[in-house]
Amino acid sequence: MHITAEPGDNHVVLHLRGEFDTYYCHLLDEEIAAVQKNGIQLVVLNLRLVKFINSTALGAIIKASKALMREDGMLVISRPSAFCRDIIEKVGLNRVVPVSETDEEGITMLMEK
């Protein structure tokens, strides 16, 4: 999996690409820590190019969301691939972490927080 950061004014969009499984969870943890170290607490997690996600990766998303919320921040998932959307909805992650159809909608959700 690869993560590309697209910084905004007071937020960042993290674009994930590839398979998000147990082996790559540390990459999200490290990226969230780096973002927070730079004073950013509002994150959109773009999952459009994630073709596979497992339960450990879902746990990493919840962990990232909680870390941001502790600092009065927020995490929004945007554009999940069909596979990711199916898993997110089946396990109810969308009731814990908001899901948006576009990055722009996700950014709007962050700003309305």
Side-chain angles (χ1 to χ4, degrees):
M1 180 183 74
H2 298 282
I3 300 176
T4 305
E6 180 186 338
D9 293 334
N10 61 346
H11 67 278
V12 66
V13 179
L14 298 178
H15 297 271
L16 277 60
R17 185 177 79 235
E19 296 186 359
F20 189 9
D21 60 18
T22 307
Y23 183 76
Y24 295 108
C25 288
H26 74 280
L27 292 178
L28 180 62
D29 292 343
E30 291 167 5
E31 193 67 38
I32 294 296
V35 164
Q36 288 187 298
K37 185 177 180 183
N38 288 326
I40 303 293
Q41 305 301 332
L42 302 173
V43 177
V44 174
L45 195 63
N46 182 307
L47 301 181
R48 181 176 68 90
L49 298 176
V50 175
K51 302 303 178 200
F52 175 81
I53 193 166
N54 72 4
S55 61
T56 308
L58 295 175
I61 292 172
I62 293 169
K63 180 181 175 185
S65 177
K66 287 181 177 181
L68 292 164
M69 287 173 31
R70 275 193 297 275
E71 301 297 325
D72 200 31
M74 184 177 177
L75 177 75
V76 174
I77 295 169
S78 76
R79 302 184 71 191
S81 65
F83 181 85
C84 288
R85 180 178 299 280
D86 186 49
I87 298 297
I88 287 167
E89 290 175 357
K90 281 183 180 174
V91 302
L93 181 61
N94 56 322
R95 292 190 302 268
V96 178
V97 178
V99 178
S100 66
E101 297 303 314
T102 66
D103 292 347
E104 294 76 17
E105 180 185 328
I107 292 165
T108 299
M109 293 167 87
L110 293 174
M111 298 308 132
E112 293 174 347
K113 177 193 165 309

